[in-house]
Amino acid sequence: MPKVSVIIPTYNNEKYIKAAVDSASRQTYQDLEVIVLNDGSTDSTLDIVSQAGLKDPRIRVSTQPHSGKPSIARNAGIRIAHGEYICFLDGDDLFYPEKVRDCVHAFEGNPTIQFMFHDMRYMNETGREEPESHLQRVGSVRANLVLEPKLSDGVFSCDSNRLAYWMCLESVPLQMPGVMVRRTLLDGQKVWFPEDMLIGEDFDLWFRLVKSGAVGFLDKVLSARRMHKESITCRPDTAIWTAAARIRNYNHSTDFFSSSQRKAFRKRISDDLFDCGYAQSRQGNASDAQALYIESLRWDPNIWSIERAVLGILKAHLRRVLGRNVSDTERLHGG
C-alpha cells in the first residue's frame, strides 16, 4: 500500500490540471498514490487526467456526476485512499517537489504529531508567484502558533488553543495545499469535509482536527495556490459562506475556548455578518441587508452594535428607494 495519498478534486480545470497532477506524481518521495476525483467536468479535464493515469499506475482517476462542491469529491477520495498520510491538492494548485518527502519525514521524526501544516505562496493564472508567502502576508502568525523548543529541525509544535483562536479571529494559516494529516485522525471524525457547505468546508474540518490531535508546523514553503477568476473562492457569496463557517466553529468551541475567547469570537462573527449586510445593501438588497444587520446585532449586542445596525438598516432602505448614492459611513466597526 502507498504511504501517502494525494487527493485532487477537479472540475473544468483543463488549463491547470496537468500541472497539478504532475506536481503530485513527480514528487521526490515516490511511495504515493494520486487520486483524481473528476466532478463531472464538461471540458477536456477527464481526458487529460485519464492520459496521465495510463502513463503512471499510481494515478487513480474516479469520475462522478457534477456536485458543484469540492467537499463531496474530497470525501469520495478519502473513502478510497490507501495511504497512512493524506494530503489535498486542488486541480489548479501545485506541490513543490519536496512537499511529500518533507512532511513524511516530519511525521516520522515526531510520532506524536497527528496533523501537519506548512507555508505556501500564491501565484497567478500564468504561474508567477508572489514574493511573500502566505504566513508572511498574515503578519505575526508565528508568534501565535509556535512553541519552543523545536521538535526537530524545522518542525515546531503548536498550541492547539492558540492556533484555533488565531484561525477563528484573525486568519486561517492552514491552506488546502499546505496540510498533511494522519489517516487515523481523519477516521476519528464523524464528518470529514461537510457536504452542505460550498465554501469554508476546509475551515470547518481544520478546526475540528486542531482540537482533536497534536499539530505540527513545518517551517518551509512547499506549495503554491493559484488565484484566478474561475476559482470558487472568487464567488460573490464567499463572505457569507465564510461567516457560516465561523458560526459552525463557534458552535464547536464550547468546551475548547474560554468565556473571554468566545466573547471575542462572537464579536468577530458579528463584524463578518455586518460586512455581509453592507455588501447586500450596496447591491440594493435591502431585505437581505436588514436580516444580516439584525443577525449581526444578535451575536454582539451592545450600544454600539445597536447604533450600527439601525444606521445600516436605514441606509439599506434609503438605497433601495433613492438608489445607491448614499454615504458609506455605516461600514464601521466599533470597539
Side-chain angles (χ1 to χ4, degrees):
M1 293 296 176
K3 192 79 168 180
V4 176
S5 297
V6 182
I7 296 173
I8 306 179
T10 184
Y11 172 71
N12 285 358
N13 283 139
E14 63 181 3
K15 289 193 292 186
Y16 311 117
I17 188 62
K18 185 179 187 302
V21 172
D22 285 350
S23 77
S25 63
R26 296 175 182 175
Q27 290 287 297
T28 56
Y29 188 93
Q30 292 287 296
D31 187 10
L32 55 79
E33 63 179 353
V34 179
I35 303 174
V36 183
L37 282 303
N38 174 49
D39 192 45
S41 295
T42 57
D43 62 5
S44 62
T45 293
L46 181 57
D47 291 337
I48 294 169
V49 296
S50 297
Q51 287 296 316
L54 291 174
K55 296 175 182 178
D56 187 341
R58 298 173 307 156
I59 299 173
R60 303 165 57 194
V61 180
S62 177
T63 193
Q64 62 187 29
H66 181 54
S67 69
K69 294 180 179 179
S71 55
I72 293 177
R74 290 194 195 102
N75 288 342
I78 294 172
R79 282 191 288 271
I80 63 175
H82 295 132
E84 178 183 345
Y85 303 106
I86 308 289
C87 54
F88 305 94
L89 180 67
D90 286 346
D92 46 7
D93 296 340
L94 298 175
F95 282 167
Y96 288 3
E98 301 81 15
K99 147 86 179 192
V100 173
R101 182 200 67 188
D102 289 357
C103 287
V104 170
H105 288 175
F107 272 116
E108 293 183 343
N110 303 279
T112 60
I113 295 297
Q114 300 294 307
F115 188 31
M116 187 80 63
F117 73 101
H118 57 76
D119 205 352
M120 53 157 243
R121 283 194 173 89
Y122 293 96
M123 62 182 173
N124 65 10
E125 294 182 9
T126 66
R128 183 175 60 84
E129 295 183 3
E130 296 184 2
E132 281 190 325
S133 73
H134 172 64
L135 295 186
Q136 287 172 331
R137 286 177 57 170
V138 299
S140 60
V141 65
R142 282 182 173 80
N144 291 277
L145 304 182
V146 175
L147 294 179
E148 296 285 3
K150 295 180 181 179
L151 295 175
S152 59
D153 187 29
V155 182
F156 300 83
S157 63
C158 296
D159 180 276
S160 294
N161 180 273
R162 190 183 301 177
L163 172 57
Y165 188 62
W166 178 273
M167 288 169 56
C168 292
L169 269 75
E170 299 295 337
S171 62
V172 183
L174 293 77
Q175 298 291 312
M176 190 63 66
V179 303
M180 185 178 284
V181 58
R182 291 188 193 270
R183 176 63 189 251
T184 51
L185 183 61
L186 282 174
D187 287 343
Q189 298 294 314
K190 293 181 180 179
V191 175
W192 294 326
F193 294 100
E195 296 185 357
D196 58 337
M197 300 183 72
L198 179 63
I199 298 169
E201 78 288 348
D202 53 343
F203 186 18
D204 181 278
L205 178 59
W206 303 158
F207 183 82
R208 288 182 281 116
L209 294 181
V210 167
K211 284 181 58 182
S212 302
V215 184
F217 170 56
L218 177 57
D219 194 9
K220 292 185 177 182
V221 177
L222 294 173
S223 59
R225 183 177 179 185
R226 195 184 307 268
M227 306 304 292
H228 57 93
K229 61 185 178 181
E230 292 90 7
S231 172
I232 195 170
T233 55
C234 292
R235 290 170 54 103
D237 56 354
T238 295
I240 193 66
W241 281 105
T242 301
R246 288 192 196 280
I247 291 170
R248 292 173 74 124
N249 286 345
Y250 178 86
N251 293 332
H252 295 322
S253 71
T254 306
D255 59 347
F256 193 61
F257 285 161
S258 68
S259 57
S260 61
Q261 287 176 320
R262 282 170 62 82
K263 180 179 180 180
F265 197 175
R266 287 195 299 272
K267 184 180 187 306
R268 175 57 195 263
I269 291 171
S270 175
D271 289 346
D272 282 356
L273 291 169
F274 185 87
D275 281 349
C276 290
Y278 171 81
Q280 290 299 313
S281 175
R282 292 284 295 170
Q283 295 169 28
N285 302 323
S287 58
D288 291 341
Q290 176 174 311
L292 286 162
Y293 285 143
I294 292 172
E295 184 67 4
S296 168
L297 177 59
R298 188 179 73 83
W299 279 94
D300 185 33
N302 56 59
I303 295 299
W304 165 256
S305 296
I306 293 171
E307 181 179 304
R308 181 177 70 168
V310 170
L311 182 61
I313 290 169
L314 288 173
K315 291 196 173 183
H317 286 283
L318 278 173
R319 278 201 174 94
R320 180 177 59 84
V321 174
L322 303 175
R324 300 184 185 182
N325 296 322
V326 179
S327 169
D328 293 338
T329 55
E330 80 269 28
R331 196 186 186 205
L332 299 170
H333 294 328

